Amino acid sequence: MTDTVTVCDLDGLPPGSRRVIEAFGGQIVVFNVAGRLYAVDAVCPHAGGPLSHGRITGARLADTPFEHRWDLEDRILVCPWHGWEFDLETGSTLFDPGVGVAKYEVAVVDGTVLVNG
Ligand code: FES
């Protein structure tokens, strides 16, 4: 069974902004990245850093040695303490898909941002 928590009116979470809420027994940060909404745990699983203060960027990926490409623009949340990188689409770190933060479904209903946990 899922629970639903109200975050705010969509107007209160414009593109480029973020909000931290208390829900599901912890802190969750909700991002509006160019109109796409993401919600993940706000505490980094490495050493407790504040992911709510992380910058959002892309990532340099390599399919083969010496050939790098920039990808995942506006999908990567970087922990401000030691730089772990999390894909906002999955919650997983880039270095190990089995390591990451909980990711939550976000919906907008009648202009209200909701998070399902
Ligand atoms: S606390 Fe987040 S990378 Fe170390």
Side-chain angles (χ1 to χ4, degrees), residues 44-51 79-84 86:
C44 180
H46 176 222
L51 293 178
C79 179
W81 281 9
H82 311 106
W84 281 21
F86 300 86

Side-chain angles (χ1 to χ4, degrees), residues 55-106:
R55 67 187 167 88
I56 296 174
T57 182
R60 187 174 309 282
L61 303 178
D63 298 320
T64 59
F66 309 113
E67 290 193 25
H68 297 229
R69 63 186 158 82
W70 186 253
D71 204 348
L72 307 176
E73 182 70 34
D74 289 341
R75 268 181 54 178
I76 303 302
L77 171 62
V78 182
C79 179
W81 281 9
H82 311 106
W84 281 21
E85 298 169 307
F86 300 86
D87 185 344
L88 286 169
E89 291 282 347
T90 65
S92 296
T93 58
L94 292 183
F95 66 86
D96 184 345
V99 176
V101 288
K103 180 182 181 312
Y104 302 88
E105 179 188 336
V106 185

